[in-house]
Amino acid sequence: MDLVQGQLAFDGIPERLTRVTPAKLTTWSSCPRRYRFNYVDRPRPARGPAMAHTTLGAALHNALRALYELPPAQRTPSRGRELVNRHWKSEGFAGAEQSADYRVRAGDWVADYVERHGASAEPVGVERWVSATTGTIIVQGRVDRIDHRDGELVVVDYKAGRHTPGVGDARDSLALALYALATRSALHGRCRRVELHHLRTSEVVSWRHTADSLAEHRERAERLAHDSSAAATAVEAGEDPDRMFPARPGARCAACEFRRHCREGKRAVPEIEPWALLGE
């Protein structure tokens, strides 16, 4: 974990600021063992094979990034399909037929999304890197899109999975709350509204944070950052890595990129095919 020197605290003792990303904190919260493999162990353990649902999500995100870099008049359904084709890759799919099928589906999803939401958005940031010092952490991350709407900044996060998100997903997302805090600091504007845009259905769910709810997420992020940093420091001092970074086996182990290196994960659930999470 990256530590940087902070300003003097009120008691004269220098504080240590921990540099974090929402992805790191989410990984630590869900499985410390996966966090260790990804962010602590060097050299990093070899990852498993590419997963088709990850390839699909990347193509959709890249297409929308390119789309929202265009003027509104050029954000047409046909351009959306064209951009999906341009950014399409086939890693993880069962074969050429399945890849072609999902390429067409992805093009339809983006075209429908553009039809419903494309021209109305006023993005002030696309794949925008934001950073802010808040509390005892420095939050950094890349936001899919930042809109300016009704006098405020809105954090937009694309979702491409089988699960259709609900309001609770937006409300409880640590990542979205931290993006809102970082966006407010980076762009110097009011930012309390966060949105999840489900690309398969073009559904949008939103949540407006209060100062209190953002503070709760910040405090949680500080606790997670402290705990993960303490675990890494303990390993450097000679503690057992498996004890400091325990596995939390569950259904997610079936698709974990580090499954081959984790006894608990392999015992928890059978391995799945790389295309098993595409859904219908």
Side-chain angles (χ1 to χ4, degrees):
M1 182 65 70
D2 185 13
L3 298 178
V4 296
Q5 184 69 50
Q7 295 179 339
L8 290 179
F10 289 113
D11 59 4
I13 300 175
E15 292 184 354
R16 303 291 287 182
L17 298 177
T18 306
R19 197 184 305 273
V20 301
T21 65
K24 283 186 176 182
L25 296 181
T26 301
T27 301
W28 168 261
S29 179
S30 63
C31 182
R33 182 69 53 78
R34 181 172 175 242
Y35 177 96
R36 183 190 119 203
F37 289 149
N38 208 4
Y39 301 112
V40 178
D41 286 357
R42 292 296 180 269
R44 179 187 293 151
R47 298 173 184 267
M51 303 297 285
H53 67 284
T54 303
T55 300
L56 171 64
L60 289 166
H61 277 73
N62 288 333
L64 287 170
R65 181 203 67 224
L67 182 80
Y68 280 99
E69 289 174 344
L70 298 173
Q74 296 181 30
R75 296 182 211 144
T76 63
S78 61
R79 180 60 66 87
R81 285 194 178 90
E82 174 191 327
L83 290 169
V84 168
N85 291 334
R86 181 183 303 173
H87 291 282
W88 190 256
K89 298 183 184 300
S90 297
E91 285 86 349
F93 288 92
E97 184 177 351
Q98 187 186 58
S99 175
D101 175 41
Y102 273 89
R103 179 171 55 80
V104 172
R105 294 192 197 192
D108 289 342
W109 295 337
V110 170
D112 184 60
Y113 180 82
V114 173
E115 188 71 33
R116 295 175 62 177
H117 307 292
S120 60
E122 298 181 16
V124 296
V126 177
E127 295 287 335
R128 173 66 185 262
W129 181 263
V130 292
S131 177
T133 301
T134 177
T136 61
I137 57 178
I138 300 175
V139 179
Q140 298 177 316
R142 194 180 302 278
V143 185
D144 288 342
R145 203 174 85 213
I146 303 170
D147 287 353
H148 186 269
R149 207 178 307 153
D150 300 325
E152 67 176 344
L153 300 170
V154 180
V155 169
V156 172
D157 189 53
Y158 301 129
K159 292 297 179 186
R162 298 176 297 177
H163 168 68
T164 303
V167 172
D169 295 301
R171 178 194 64 214
D172 299 335
S173 171
L174 177 65
L176 288 181
L178 293 179
Y179 285 144
L181 289 169
T183 295
R184 181 179 67 187
S185 176
L187 299 185
H188 307 290
R190 178 182 176 88
C191 184
R192 291 190 176 179
R193 183 172 176 177
V194 297
E195 295 181 345
L196 294 173
H197 291 209
H198 189 235
L199 302 178
R200 296 188 184 219
T201 61
S202 294
E203 294 299 318
V204 172
V205 295
S206 65
W207 178 256
R208 184 178 298 279
H209 279 291
T210 64
D212 286 342
S213 66
L214 286 174
E216 289 175 2
H217 278 289
R218 176 182 59 78
E219 290 166 4
R220 181 184 173 219
E222 290 177 347
R223 291 193 298 270
L224 294 171
H226 174 271
D227 292 347
S228 58
S229 179
T233 299
V235 169
E236 290 178 359
E239 292 289 343
D240 177 20
D242 286 348
R243 186 175 72 84
M244 300 310 301
F245 292 91
R248 291 184 184 156
R252 70 176 68 89
C253 297
C256 179
E257 67 270 41
F258 299 111
R259 173 187 172 87
R260 67 178 68 177
H261 308 289
C262 181
R263 295 186 303 272
E264 294 88 340
K266 288 188 287 188
R267 287 198 299 261
V269 289
E271 187 174 11
I272 60 174
E273 297 288 359
W275 54 88
L277 297 182
L278 282 170
E280 295 299 331

